[in-house]
Amino acid sequence: MDNLIRNTTEYALHIVNAYMPESDREFTVIDGTCGNGHDALALAKMLWPSGYLEGSSFKLYGFDIQKDAIDNTFDNLCQGGFGQALESGSIKLVHDSHENIKMHLPGGGMHSYNVDIAVFNLGYLPGGNKEITTNVSSTLDAIASLLEILNKDGLISITMYSGHEAGAKEKAELLAFAQKLDSRIYHVSYISMINQQKNPPEILLITKKK
């Protein structure tokens, strides 16, 4: 096994993997920030470790506000062997802000549709325009809406980057928001690489207790 604690993104995905189902049942995963599709491919491999199965009850939704990110994720998933899952709708990529996640789930937000796992890897698109970043307003809206429809024992994993101005603000407000969550309903964990320099990525985890 790789030294997971050295790579924040891999560390977050390792934790997410522990929340994946052991058998096929209705189970919905959200990638709230597609980027170049690395997380989406990792999540697809967790859901279908032996390859995609037609008729599976698993669903994976990916969101990004940049069309390049959606295209890159589509290509990455196809190259990774999940073209059939995209064709069948088991994996759906949505060119929209993650604050509108509920609108794109079955029912269009008109009734409850529960989610089991949501993953956010914040910041800007690697290799893209660094001026286009996730922002605190849409991110908070996305997290708040997902908490409403998160299943019991579900997980939201958020990788935060405070090395740029927008990211520092986003991290501060996310932590403030998370600290105020009702401890009777949610359990929150914050992972920080406290001896590293240059603002390394940090992980915020929220799970629903009931």
Side-chain angles (χ1 to χ4, degrees):
M1 179 184 291
D2 292 334
N3 189 343
L4 290 170
I5 201 171
R6 294 180 59 184
N7 187 314
T8 306
T9 302
E10 291 297 322
Y11 190 17
L13 289 172
H14 179 73
I15 295 170
V16 166
N17 192 38
Y19 284 77
M20 288 290 174
E22 296 180 356
S23 59
D24 192 24
R25 58 181 176 84
E26 287 191 6
F27 197 90
T28 300
V29 178
I30 303 292
D31 180 355
T33 47
C34 280
N36 286 314
H38 301 302
D39 285 353
L41 180 57
L43 293 169
K45 288 179 177 179
M46 291 178 198
L47 285 169
W48 300 285
S50 300
Y52 173 69
L53 297 174
E54 189 174 355
S56 170
S57 297
F58 300 155
K59 300 292 182 184
L60 172 59
Y61 292 83
F63 292 81
D64 208 288
I65 201 166
Q66 296 188 69
K67 184 61 165 57
D68 284 350
I70 296 296
D71 292 342
N72 293 345
T73 300
F74 182 90
D75 291 343
N76 206 12
L77 286 165
C78 287
Q79 291 169 14
F82 291 96
Q84 187 181 357
L86 286 160
E87 290 178 9
S88 71
S90 290
I91 300 178
K92 183 177 181 180
L93 302 180
V94 182
H95 180 208
D96 196 1
S97 172
H98 48 222
E99 66 188 309
N100 298 321
I101 282 173
K102 287 173 70 174
M103 291 173 51
H104 295 281
L105 298 178
M110 299 302 293
H111 60 78
S112 176
Y113 178 84
N114 287 2
V115 165
D116 296 282
I117 294 174
V119 174
F120 291 80
N121 200 345
L122 303 177
Y124 50 79
L125 175 65
N129 184 351
K130 293 184 178 181
E131 298 300 315
I132 303 174
T133 71
T134 53
N135 69 79
V136 65
S137 176
S138 63
T139 300
L140 282 173
D141 284 348
I143 301 303
S145 67
L146 281 168
L147 287 176
E148 294 176 1
I149 59 174
L150 189 67
N151 274 328
K152 178 181 179 294
D153 296 324
L155 176 72
I156 299 177
S157 171
I158 309 161
T159 301
M160 306 175 294
Y161 300 81
S162 57
H164 56 100
E165 184 177 353
K169 181 179 180 182
E170 197 170 34
K171 169 193 160 183
E173 297 209 23
L174 277 168
L175 291 179
F177 169 82
Q179 282 183 312
K180 295 176 182 177
L181 290 174
D182 189 339
S183 61
R184 296 168 297 179
I185 303 174
Y186 303 102
H187 192 85
V188 180
S189 177
Y190 169 45
I191 301 172
S192 177
M193 310 302 178
I194 58 175
N195 74 330
Q196 300 301 302
Q197 306 300 314
K198 299 182 180 179
N199 305 110
E202 296 168 299
I203 304 169
L204 179 63
L205 302 166
I206 306 171
T207 187
K208 200 167 193 177
K209 297 159 67 172
K210 62 181 182 179

